Amino acid sequence: MLAYIFRRLGILSVILFGSSFILYNLAAISGDPLEALRTSTEPNAKQQMLALTRTLQLDVPPPLRYFLWLKGILAGITGHIDFGKTRDAQLVTSVIATAIPTTIRLVFLATITAIVLGITIGIVTALRQYSRFDYAMTFVSFLMFSLPIFWVAVLLKEFLAIQFNNFLANPQIPVGWIIGLSAASGVIWAAVISGDRKRVWQIFGTVAVGTGALLTLLSQTSWFIKPGLGPIVVFGISIGIAYGVTQISTGLQNKAALRSAQTMAVIALVLYYPNQWLFDNHANGLLILGQLITTIAIAFAVGLKFAKIDRGPTIRTAAITGFLIGLITLLDKFMQTWNPYMATDAINYRPIPTSGQVNPLLEPGNFWFSWLDILVHMILPTIALTLISFAGYIRYSRGTLLEVLNQDYIRTARAKGLNERTVIMRHAFRNTMIPLTTIMVVDFAGLIGGAIITERVFGWIGMGTLFNKAINTFDLNLLMSVFFITATLSVLANLVADLLYSALDPRIRAGKG
Amino acid sequence: MAKKKNVAVETTTQDGGENAIFNKETEGLSQGQIVLRRFVRHRGAMTSLFVILGLVLFVFTALDQKIGPFKVPGWWHYNTEDLPELRAEGCKEGLVGCPTFSLRPKFLGGAGFGLGEHPFGQDNIGRDYFALVMRGAQRSIMVMFVIGMIGGTIGTIVGSISGFYRGWIDAVLMRFTDFIITIPAIIIGSVVGYHFGNLGVGFLAFYLGLFSWTGLSRLVRGEFLTLREREFVDAARVAGASNRRIIFKHILPNAVGVIIVSVTLLMSGAILLETALSYLGFGVVAPDVSLGLLISQYQDSFTTRPWLFWYPGLFIITIALSINFIGDGLRDAFDPRQRRRITKKDRESAKVVKKAGA
């Protein structure tokens, strides 16, 4: 195994060497970094040219200059990596160090959302194969495949940001919209749950009336201006989460798991006001981290308390429930921050921005304001990226699950009398995840490369923007460094994916043939 | 097309189950006929096929085309070079060059059915936007087909050689493929597009095609690796067939499904790649026109003149969506395990047949 890994790494470094050498020379002949200065009429153009030549070592021919650049990279082994300098005589390392967090912030959440949403929908469509929902989702995923992201982005800016901000000026949802949205959610849920005709109509009716009532309530109370959940609603949602997580994680018949999940919801209710006090008075990143650790610790204790046998699943259920309830509590806090945030001069009641990473006018200092600011700036790019990337996960998880469901061991599991939940979640889902995991690994590595177009449309300065800038200004060192990081990560991710695959599926052995 | 597999091996009409229904259907048909039947039955794919064929005809005959020394006149009364005056009549206050395309009948206060002078409106210097969109769609479709053809050819050749010969040839070719994969298409497109963008759209498509075959070659290699171990290949070899004959007559026809499907998907990716590159300014460059370029040029005018933004986007989506659906239909058609949904009608007709038999 170790020999296999080393062999692969050896081949990978040769490949990286070759492709970077070729790309370096290709990029070097594709443009002249001094072009703008040559035609410049500035009096000191000559000095500038000389200075630039010295910084970028332009007097060395490209094939040799490549090795100077490579020397800097190889110095990374000793910990002093040197990507050279940009045209503005900045260190490429520091430029990239500021770009990577931006890029990760931009793409991480979108990828997580795309994975969770895509796999969920994919599984539901596979379980309801050939249903109307399946056909509709197939169409939707093909539509998503065919959308250019810049086109989606402009639509989102117009309809989600500008129109929503206009709507906030007078947050009354028109009756037509309420009826339309209620009917739409009724149709979706009826299609997802499905059943015979009577049941479908029942679901449709319940969901449509429920949504309609909720929207009317929100509209009448101007909730969109002053949103919030409050302890009662948080508790209600927590109980819902407790049941939902238990059903998926262990099944409702596991009383120990159900009780521990419910206990987590009750503990969250008890701790609601202490948490609010902490949020208001000691808000910082450490607090949130501490709360996360506390939640897990409580979940562990609760799980141990209730479980007599089979502790693992009970603790798992409690921990997942606790984590989700924690997210809801945070969401509640952010909702409470919404109104004061909108009222600040920098925002002036138009909270959804169409571009940028943060609002530069917002006064720093308030923990909740600055985080809410980051979050609202992430809304549009995240939706755009999720929309175009989750279709792939739908198709892939649907296909894999259908394949798995045809296997003999699924028939065996059903034949020995396991209930449907156990068959799907324990036997089918886990085997579906094996190929999906490897895809995710490769996807995550691709994230660092950034989303060139998304960054450009939404005015973020991440790796994609750097790359774009590097090409336009013939900034060879910058271009090559972005390429080098992206390419290294992608080949390493492929290696990790292969190893992971063989670890997850013992039938496949890496290194053998 | 493959003719080795006798799908309807034994008709088990006795059990009256799903197998029987399928076997009854495919009795006496060659593999090619079965695939064709499955494809024709895929409603989405058939619709898309007609849409894309219609669209290609519609788009390529619209404008004047130069084929060698001959000039073939198009059916549309404007060309991309024409500069008609900007029309203001019928537009909202303060707008010029709005679309004259109308579907609202006169008695509802509209202008009646009809295309009018400029159905898609005019751009900011007065060029007919319908003509521009047609030219852009021509470019995009052409790029798509060229990339599909070049990528498909190289991918098939590399994949089949390395899958068939294995050994060091395979190792070298696959490392070469890895090497190409590390260079992202968008990076190479940008680097080259920046420098050679003016060489025209054909060159752009050719270049992108050279870098887009990697995924396909891996798939084809995998397919060849499995197929070369099959009995019919052994049989052919024992019968004295040459490598060339085995590859072209025995293995390739069986791998054609995988190839066709991935070429289709490659093509749908290609049209988005071209629009993305043109959007960034590294693909098709002005004064030439492409759909991505049109959107990029007019994205800021969405609030004031949305038609400049809608129409190219709709064309991109229509083309990509149709190609995706055709690919899906082909995949279903070529997949031997794929079975269509058994409807109640099928079961009943199967019962009738069974009774008649008994």
Side-chain angles (χ1 to χ4, degrees):
Chain A
M1 194 62 178
L2 215 57
Y4 170 74
I5 295 177
F6 277 115
R7 194 159 49 99
R8 279 283 297 264
L9 283 177
I11 296 172
L12 287 184
S13 42
V14 173
I15 289 173
L16 274 180
F17 169 74
S19 61
S20 59
F21 181 75
I22 289 189
L23 202 69
Y24 194 96
N25 288 296
L26 209 64
I29 57 165
S30 81
D32 178 10
L34 300 176
E35 196 182 325
L37 288 173
R38 276 190 221 285
T39 52
S40 154
T41 49
E42 283 178 48
N44 63 344
K46 197 134 201 164
Q47 280 84 352
Q48 282 187 32
M49 274 166 70
L50 277 176
L52 201 59
T53 310
R54 204 173 310 124
T55 352
L56 302 181
Q57 294 166 313
L58 294 177
D59 42 351
V60 185
L64 293 179
R65 213 188 319 148
Y66 169 77
F67 288 98
L68 289 177
W69 176 79
L70 189 68
K71 206 175 100 190
I73 305 276
L74 290 181
I77 299 170
T78 58
H80 299 285
I81 197 155
D82 177 20
F83 281 117
K85 284 181 175 163
T86 66
R87 290 185 56 129
D88 319 328
Q90 283 175 294
L91 277 177
V92 173
T93 327
S94 63
V95 176
I96 285 187
T98 53
I100 286 185
T102 312
T103 295
I104 291 182
R105 198 204 298 165
L106 174 71
V107 239
F108 187 74
L109 188 66
T111 312
I112 297 274
T113 328
I115 289 175
V116 172
L117 211 63
I119 292 182
T120 315
I121 297 180
I123 285 175
V124 175
T125 49
L127 295 179
R128 307 247 179 283
Q129 197 190 8
Y130 299 136
S131 64
R132 282 197 189 87
F133 181 72
D134 184 26
Y135 286 127
M137 274 302 140
T138 307
F139 183 78
V140 168
S141 55
F142 279 132
L143 188 66
M144 298 301 166
F145 267 140
S146 321
L147 287 178
I149 187 158
F150 44 91
W151 203 72
V152 182
V154 174
L155 290 190
L156 285 178
K157 281 185 187 184
E158 173 68 21
F159 292 110
L160 215 71
I162 298 175
Q163 305 274 15
F164 186 74
N165 287 340
N166 291 343
F167 159 77
L168 283 183
N170 176 28
Q172 303 288 322
I173 311 177
V175 181
W177 272 88
I178 294 187
I179 295 173
L181 286 173
S182 313
S185 64
V187 168
I188 292 171
W189 283 107
V192 172
I193 301 173
S194 95
D196 56 24
R197 188 159 295 176
K198 194 180 152 207
R199 194 169 142 79
V200 165
W201 279 110
Q202 274 174 351
I203 298 166
F204 174 80
T206 322
V207 174
V209 170
T211 318
L214 182 67
L215 287 177
T216 317
L217 184 70
L218 296 183
S219 169
Q220 291 305 319
T221 53
S222 294
W223 189 82
F224 290 98
I225 290 277
K226 220 174 157 32
L229 296 173
I232 305 299
V233 180
V234 169
F235 182 65
I237 296 176
S238 308
I239 289 290
I241 290 176
Y243 273 93
V245 170
T246 316
Q247 164 65 9
I248 291 172
S249 163
T250 61
L252 285 179
Q253 74 281 6
N254 186 336
K255 287 292 172 251
L258 183 61
R259 293 232 177 78
S260 56
Q262 286 167 335
T263 314
M264 290 304 288
V266 173
I267 292 175
L269 178 67
V270 173
L271 289 181
Y272 183 82
Y273 283 105
N275 268 331
Q276 297 299 319
W277 182 81
L278 281 173
F279 283 153
D280 287 338
N281 295 309
H282 299 279
N284 57 44
L286 267 175
L287 171 77
I288 308 290
L289 190 70
Q291 280 172 324
L292 179 70
I293 295 170
T294 321
T295 311
I296 304 292
I298 293 177
F300 211 82
V302 170
L304 280 183
K305 172 93 178 51
F306 280 99
K308 291 173 194 71
I309 46 165
D310 227 14
R311 286 185 172 149
T314 313
I315 293 173
R316 181 183 69 204
T317 312
I320 298 174
T321 315
F323 179 73
L324 292 179
I325 294 176
L327 283 187
I328 293 291
T329 316
L330 266 182
L331 181 72
D332 177 53
K333 177 61 197 168
F334 276 119
M335 283 181 170
Q336 294 169 26
T337 322
W338 181 252
N339 195 33
Y341 170 78
M342 282 211 306
T344 53
D345 289 340
I347 311 302
N348 198 15
Y349 295 100
R350 294 193 74 79
I352 311 282
T354 52
S355 70
Q357 296 162 225
V358 285
N359 192 330
L361 301 175
L362 191 73
E363 280 173 31
N366 188 322
F367 178 81
W368 297 106
F369 277 10
S370 38
W371 271 98
L372 189 60
D373 192 48
I374 289 176
L375 286 179
V376 291
H377 279 88
M378 280 168 63
I379 292 178
L380 290 192
T382 306
I383 293 179
L385 279 174
T386 309
L387 277 183
I388 60 159
S389 59
F390 89 124
Y393 282 102
I394 297 185
R395 297 305 295 162
Y396 206 84
S397 56
R398 177 179 181 271
T400 320
L401 184 59
L402 282 178
E403 192 112 309
V404 169
L405 284 177
N406 274 329
Q407 301 287 324
D408 289 341
Y409 57 77
I410 297 294
R411 196 182 314 141
T412 314
R414 289 212 173 104
K416 71 185 183 192
L418 295 181
N419 60 14
E420 194 60 17
R421 192 205 69 82
T422 319
V423 174
I424 302 293
M425 290 310 295
R426 196 172 293 167
H427 294 254
F429 178 67
R430 288 188 185 181
N431 283 299
T432 309
M433 287 307 286
I434 296 176
L436 279 175
T437 322
T438 59
I439 292 190
M440 282 182 222
V441 172
V442 177
D443 258 22
F444 267 105
L447 294 188
I448 309 297
I452 300 178
I453 296 177
T454 320
E455 281 177 22
R456 175 159 153 160
V457 180
F458 290 108
W460 286 50
I461 301 166
M463 295 288 273
T465 315
L466 284 190
F467 169 73
N468 209 355
K469 187 180 135 202
I471 290 179
N472 281 318
T473 57
F474 305 112
D475 204 332
L476 200 52
N477 284 335
L478 191 56
L479 175 71
M480 287 311 293
S481 310
V482 174
F483 160 76
F484 185 78
I485 292 175
T486 324
T488 313
L489 277 172
S490 90
V491 290
L492 282 183
N494 272 306
L495 175 61
V496 171
D498 283 357
L499 295 176
L500 206 60
Y501 207 134
S502 72
L504 290 175
D505 189 344
R507 285 170 301 181
I508 292 159
R509 272 186 291 165
K512 297 275 153 61
Chain B
M1 211 61 53
K3 39 209 156 187
K4 278 99 207 165
K5 288 176 216 155
N6 186 5
V7 172
V9 194
E10 270 174 58
T11 0
T12 47
T13 11
Q14 269 71 26
D15 58 13
E18 298 187 356
N19 279 328
I21 297 175
F22 282 113
N23 290 344
K24 195 81 200 156
E25 264 174 14
T26 50
E27 232 168 17
L29 291 179
S30 76
Q31 185 72 12
Q33 286 166 316
I34 296 171
V35 169
L36 188 67
R37 270 180 84 159
R38 286 214 199 102
F39 183 76
V40 171
R41 219 174 251 151
H42 196 293
R43 233 176 288 156
M46 280 311 276
T47 320
S48 305
L49 188 67
F50 283 116
V51 168
I52 202 86
L53 288 179
L55 204 68
V56 167
L57 258 176
F58 180 80
V59 160
F60 277 87
T61 54
L63 307 175
D64 294 356
Q65 296 275 358
K66 268 197 201 122
I67 305 172
F70 305 106
K71 200 173 171 192
V72 184
W75 51 263
W76 187 241
H77 47 266
Y78 282 114
N79 274 308
T80 46
E81 299 85 23
D82 299 338
L83 281 173
E85 248 175 64
L86 272 166
R87 283 163 43 101
E89 53 193 285
C91 297
K92 278 183 205 152
E93 192 66 37
L95 280 180
V96 282
C98 60
T100 53
F101 178 55
S102 164
L103 280 176
R104 196 191 279 184
K106 280 205 172 85
F107 57 84
L108 283 175
F113 292 102
L115 291 175
E117 187 71 12
H118 301 287
F120 290 0
Q122 289 168 286
D123 75 353
N124 42 10
I125 54 168
R127 288 187 294 177
D128 180 51
Y129 208 58
F130 182 79
L132 286 176
V133 171
M134 288 301 117
R135 176 72 77 214
Q138 287 175 8
R139 293 287 181 254
S140 299
I141 293 176
M142 203 188 90
V143 169
M144 181 177 86
F145 278 109
V146 171
I147 292 183
M149 259 162 37
I150 294 179
T153 317
I154 302 180
T156 310
I157 293 175
V158 172
S160 44
I161 290 179
S162 67
F164 185 79
Y165 289 104
R166 300 194 301 188
W168 67 269
I169 299 182
D170 178 33
V172 169
L173 282 178
M174 280 300 114
R175 292 299 83 78
F176 180 63
T177 314
D178 286 345
F179 166 72
I180 299 285
I181 287 176
T182 53
I183 306 177
I186 202 154
I187 290 202
I188 207 72
S190 308
V191 169
V192 173
Y194 194 82
H195 199 56
F196 304 109
N198 295 323
L199 289 181
V201 63
F203 184 80
L204 174 80
F206 175 76
Y207 205 90
L208 290 178
L210 288 186
F211 283 90
S212 55
W213 50 269
T214 48
L216 187 103
S217 79
R218 283 187 165 182
L219 284 176
V220 175
R221 170 179 174 265
E223 197 67 13
F224 263 68
L225 281 176
T226 24
L227 286 174
R228 78 189 293 284
E229 307 293 333
R230 293 276 288 273
E231 292 84 354
F232 62 84
V233 175
D234 290 343
R237 190 164 284 134
V238 170
S242 64
N243 278 346
R244 215 182 84 184
R245 191 179 165 81
I246 291 176
I247 292 180
F248 285 104
K249 287 275 173 188
H250 296 274
I251 302 187
L252 208 54
N254 279 299
V256 85
V258 173
I259 296 172
I260 291 183
V261 171
S262 30
V263 167
T264 342
L265 297 179
L266 179 68
M267 279 162 57
S268 78
I271 192 166
L272 290 183
L273 177 67
E274 183 271 327
T275 49
L277 283 177
S278 301
Y279 176 83
L280 288 174
F282 301 127
V284 177
V285 272
D288 209 340
V289 185
S290 97
L291 295 178
L293 192 63
L294 285 178
I295 294 183
S296 154
Q297 279 167 343
Y298 299 115
Q299 56 172 328
D300 296 329
S301 50
F302 183 68
T303 37
T304 50
R305 295 178 296 164
W307 63 89
L308 294 177
F309 175 83
W310 280 117
Y311 292 110
L314 289 180
F315 270 80
I316 296 177
I317 293 175
T318 315
I319 297 169
L321 193 61
S322 312
I323 297 284
N324 270 324
F325 264 106
I326 294 174
D328 188 50
L330 286 171
R331 181 172 30 210
D332 283 1
F334 278 109
D335 187 354
R337 284 165 303 181
Q338 186 74 34
R339 298 189 150 181
R340 84 192 159 85
R341 184 184 190 182
I342 303 266
T343 55
K344 262 185 197 160
K345 217 171 112 193
D346 290 325
R347 287 188 199 284
E348 267 151 32
S349 62
K351 261 182 212 161
V352 172
V353 171
K354 200 175 146 193
K355 267 182 197 159

